[in-house]
Amino acid sequence: MKKLLLLSAAVLVFAAGANAQESAGTPPQGMRGTPANLPDVSALGNITGYLSDDRADTGRNELGINEVETAFQGYIYPEMRADLILAIHKHDGKYESEICEAKASFLRLAEGLSGEMGKIHLDFGRINKLHSHHLPMADRPQVLANFFGDHELAGQGGTLKYLLPFIPFYTQVQAGFWTMAGHEHGVSADNTADVLDTSLSTVTVPALIHEDADFSPAGKVYTARLNSSFELADKTELELGLSGLKGRGAHYEEHMDNVEVTGVDLTLRLWPSAYKRLTFQNEWLHLKREVPAGTLNRDGFYSFLNYRADKYWDFGARFDYAENAWPGISYERALSGIVTRHLTETSYWRLQYKHRNLDGKNINEGWLQVSFGIGPHSHELE
Amino acid sequence: MKKLILASAALAFWAGAARAEIKVVTASSDLRYICERVGGAEVKVESLSSGDQDLHMVEPRPSMVFKLKKADMVVRVGLDLDMWMDSLINAAKNGRLFYGQPGYVDASAGVPLLEKPEGKVDASMGDIHIYGNPHYWLDPANSKIMAGNILAGLKRAAPEKAAVFDANYGAFVRELDVKLAGWEARMAKYKGLKVITYHSSWPYFARRFGLDVAGHVEPKPGIPPSASHLDGLMKKMKAENIKVILTESYYPRKGPDFLAGKTGAAVVTAAVSAGGAKDVKTYFDVFDRVIEGLEKAAGK
């Protein structure tokens, strides 16, 4: 018995030694890389010139830096990444700094399951997740601006993603829970209202105003998305997505509104040759906004057709239809033409013309955009 | 009882038929070819790019994520040429394929590199690769190293089949040696031949066969040619009597055709990967066709 115990102990020691030897040995053949424990550090700038014949537009006919973004990205643990993306961007003529995204990504929690935590651009539809410098257009489609605000809809929280294993094509499901700050309200002596006092005399008082009149979901927000991709032919891919969001409005204290947004997206991409690519991308969103007085139902969509003619040039056209999120409904239709000249993966210049019709009022707008990147910069696969 | 035995036999047959072949995803069609040669019947290989694509510019797609999700092994070109592979591997969430895991193979490991930049590297130098020129597969001798890396990966994936892989590797190397000797014999008379290439894709090929790359149609890697650059190149070609322009099949012909029209040089359009042209089906065909093209052009 004693011999058996000694033998077992010796086997255990040998096994442990063998394991230690294996893990301390050289990396498996077929690996290369210079050891350097540094994150990828990058910076991006977005210079935008904007022209408009709408005299009410206070931001028109200006050229200047619109956004600066810095990113620190890298692995923090095997199968765990961190991305810190800090930005200073122009909003209503003022520069504001913000944490654009700051997230830890768990690339593999279990087979096919991954997760992200932190401040993240919500994975809703095709475009919301993209940073503005990564868009194939100078402005965001109007339906997204009307339902989500001027910038990407971002929340603090987490999401779980599951890549379905048992079906013969790419399908991923995900669900997230987020908190988003509501819009700030305040009073200003410049904004006044005439009211009757207790003696029924008229007095002028500062009025409650919105510092930011954008509509967007806020508070506790739940999201879900299902997206699939079908390889129709060797160089043709069809992608379908369904997105859902439930939360409150950004002005909940004032409007007591519960919000649901549903989205459907369809993208067809063809690669006829090495550099040529045709993209036909469509996204439809429906907003349901329940307020004490009733329910607002609003719709909007865009269709985007883009042709990459060669390694350097992209030509695009977009049609927008968007209703607003407010009780007084407005209808907007717009047609845009976009030309992009790529310099590198992260640098390009772009010209865009847009003709808008907002409730019968015609507006012409134009953009000149120069976007540049320094250093290795990457975003999650779109 | 008889039925039970029959059912068991059928099940066993089905299980045998569906025996696990090693699923491999490669970044390029050349790596697929080499992997199929080394893995033989034990592997099922898919390439994420076709032979007529520029490997710098492959666009990641969800269907590629799906292929990686099911794979036992991934083989990449490395040296930052296939950086698009990183986001795909992350999105696939396949633990076998992450960097450092047994299913991760970088085919460039151990390849002696050319044009390794020193000092500060930035975008003023064009689309420069910090680890060195990544077009190493265009020296056919490097395919022994690539195949060796693949062999090691396959042995990690299925150690019980090591003998089969070793035999296949040996057969591949023997065939390569015969072909390489033939190519070198054919190219011997062109040692020192000055050529212009479109992109800096050919230094490994040029070193192997003794060509002198005198300039590029691109002024810097990845930068399209300007009129002044083409003018300077045209003068250089006339002054140095350069009569061959070698261009990859996916690049535009406008610049090379302009130079050929002005200097009387011949343009050799070459597929740089297996499947890059109708008559380029395998990795070995790449060299057969390029050398044929150079022989014709130089013989003019």
Side-chain angles (χ1 to χ4, degrees), chain A residues 275, chain B residues 198 247-256:
Chain A
Y275 298 117
Chain B
Y198 195 103
T247 180
E248 301 81 342
S249 56
Y250 43 74
Y251 281 122
R253 282 288 298 256
K254 199 174 162 189

Side-chain angles (χ1 to χ4, degrees), chain A residues 307-334:
Chain A
Y307 178 61
R308 174 164 287 184
D310 59 28
K311 197 174 168 182
Y312 308 106
W313 290 95
D314 269 284
F315 301 95
R318 194 183 83 210
F319 175 75
D320 283 78
Y321 170 81
E323 297 167 1
N324 68 357
W326 302 103
I329 191 166
S330 70
Y331 301 93
E332 177 165 350
R333 289 170 183 81

Side-chain angles (χ1 to χ4, degrees), chain A residues 36-312:
Chain A
N37 189 15
L38 292 171
D40 289 340
V41 179
S42 59
L44 292 115
N46 192 344
I47 299 167
T48 304
Y50 171 62
L51 292 168
S52 170
D53 61 5
D54 180 9
R55 289 174 189 277
D57 188 338
T58 53
R60 74 188 187 122
N61 305 342
E62 284 186 1
L63 173 70
I65 190 90
N66 195 41
E67 187 180 40
V68 173
E69 186 179 293
T70 56
F72 305 86
Q73 301 173 289
Y75 279 85
I76 49 174
Y77 198 72
E79 303 179 13
M80 262 182 84
R81 277 182 64 85
D83 296 80
L84 305 177
I85 301 170
L86 313 171
I88 298 172
H89 61 248
K90 204 173 184 181
H91 187 68
D92 290 339
K94 292 178 191 164
Y95 288 103
E96 295 172 352
S97 60
E98 68 161 356
I99 298 171
C100 210
E101 285 195 281
K103 63 179 180 181
S105 302
F106 305 88
L107 302 176
R108 190 168 164 270
L109 291 167
E111 194 58 41
L113 186 70
S114 64
E116 292 176 355
M117 288 171 75
K119 186 177 181 190
I120 301 168
H121 286 185
L122 269 54
D123 212 342
F124 187 106
R126 292 284 306 178
I127 278 187
N128 184 67
K129 196 149 182 76
L130 301 187
H131 290 229
S132 56
H133 64 86
H134 216 201
L135 289 173
M137 50 197 77
D139 65 331
R140 304 181 77 74
Q142 197 60 41
V143 60
L144 295 181
N146 285 4
F147 292 178
F148 290 164
D150 270 349
H151 298 286
E152 304 87 1
L153 189 62
Q156 306 240 24
T159 182
L160 284 173
K161 303 177 182 185
Y162 186 55
L163 194 56
L164 299 186
F166 300 117
I167 44 177
F169 49 85
Y170 172 94
T171 297
Q172 181 167 265
V173 288
Q174 58 180 297
F177 170 66
W178 316 93
T179 47
M180 295 178 206
H183 292 183
E184 291 175 11
H185 295 74
V187 292
S188 164
D190 298 334
N191 193 55
T192 56
D194 292 334
V195 295
L196 296 176
D197 67 7
T198 48
S199 62
L200 297 180
S201 309
T202 302
V203 292
T204 301
V205 295
L208 189 71
I209 60 159
H210 301 161
E211 286 182 1
D212 182 342
D214 286 350
F215 170 82
S216 71
K220 288 184 173 131
V221 172
Y222 303 87
T223 56
R225 178 163 168 79
L226 168 80
N227 60 309
S228 294
S229 174
F230 307 92
E231 203 171 13
L232 300 181
D234 183 29
K235 290 175 179 171
T236 307
E237 195 135 336
L238 177 71
E239 295 166 56
L240 295 170
L242 286 171
S243 305
L245 176 154
K246 199 172 163 79
R248 290 176 170 177
H251 305 273
Y252 182 78
E253 286 183 9
E254 193 181 6
H255 301 297
M256 305 294 286
D257 52 341
N258 291 310
V259 171
E260 284 177 30
V261 186
T262 315
V264 179
D265 55 88
L266 181 151
T267 304
L268 180 68
R269 291 193 285 175
L270 290 87
W271 292 265
S273 67
Y275 298 117
K276 289 181 170 44
R277 183 193 64 195
L278 187 69
T279 304
F280 184 46
Q281 182 171 312
N282 305 273
E283 216 172 322
W284 169 82
L285 277 80
H286 175 78
L287 169 72
K288 184 179 171 191
R289 195 173 168 208
E290 287 176 348
V291 291
T295 302
L296 306 177
N297 283 293
R298 297 287 186 265
D299 291 283
F301 73 90
Y302 72 87
S303 281
F304 175 59
L305 185 65
N306 189 78
Y307 178 61
R308 174 164 287 184
D310 59 28
K311 197 174 168 182
Y312 308 106

Side-chain angles (χ1 to χ4, degrees), chain B residues 20-232:
Chain B
E21 47 190 5
I22 304 165
K23 295 186 188 76
V24 184
V25 172
T26 63
S28 76
S29 54
D30 301 308
L31 292 173
R32 178 181 61 201
Y33 175 77
I34 297 170
C35 202
E36 283 172 344
R37 290 294 305 265
V38 177
E42 308 297 334
V43 296
K44 186 183 176 197
V45 192
E46 284 186 277
S47 169
L48 296 184
S49 65
S50 54
D52 60 355
Q53 273 186 290
D54 178 354
L55 285 172
H56 299 85
M57 299 283 290
V58 174
E59 196 170 339
R61 311 180 214 165
S63 62
M64 296 175 179
V65 174
F66 189 69
K67 285 171 186 167
L68 285 164
K69 166 79 191 141
K70 296 184 295 177
D72 300 301
M73 192 170 116
V74 62
V75 187
R76 57 191 301 181
V77 180
L79 304 176
D80 281 357
L81 185 65
D82 52 3
M83 284 174 82
W84 41 270
M85 189 70 107
D86 292 318
S87 61
L88 289 168
I89 291 172
N90 286 344
K93 308 171 185 70
N94 181 341
R96 293 181 293 274
L97 309 187
F98 286 122
Y99 178 82
Q101 296 303 313
Y104 181 98
V105 174
D106 182 337
S108 72
V111 172
L113 299 176
L114 299 178
E115 298 179 358
K116 210 170 172 176
E118 288 177 7
K120 189 177 186 294
V121 174
D122 64 28
S124 69
M125 300 156 82
D127 186 12
I128 203 96
H129 291 274
I130 59 169
Y131 298 116
N133 190 301
H135 302 274
Y136 59 87
W137 71 92
L138 287 171
D139 176 352
N142 283 340
S143 66
K144 283 186 203 176
I145 301 168
M146 295 152 68
N149 289 327
I150 290 168
L151 173 68
L154 290 173
K155 283 181 176 176
R156 288 195 296 272
E160 72 281 5
K161 292 168 185 162
V164 178
F165 301 144
D166 279 332
N168 292 341
Y169 172 78
F172 173 77
V173 169
R174 280 192 296 280
E175 187 181 346
L176 173 72
D177 284 341
V178 171
K179 287 200 170 277
L180 187 56
W183 293 324
E184 283 178 329
R186 285 165 67 184
M187 289 295 288
K189 57 186 163 189
Y190 303 117
K191 277 211 175 355
L193 177 73
K194 285 191 172 182
V195 297
I196 298 293
T197 69
Y198 195 103
H199 178 74
S200 183
S201 304
W202 302 93
Y204 295 93
F205 180 87
R207 188 189 58 167
R208 171 61 47 195
F209 297 112
L211 300 179
D212 179 0
V213 178
H216 305 295
V217 176
E218 290 178 338
K220 289 176 179 174
I223 308 297
S226 62
S228 63
H229 175 72
L230 288 178
D231 185 55

Side-chain angles (χ1 to χ4, degrees), chain A residues 9-32:
Chain A
V11 167
L12 279 173
V13 167
F14 170 78
N19 268 343
Q21 248 182 350
E22 206 169 87
S23 57
T26 51
Q29 194 186 349
M31 292 170 58
R32 127 177 271 139

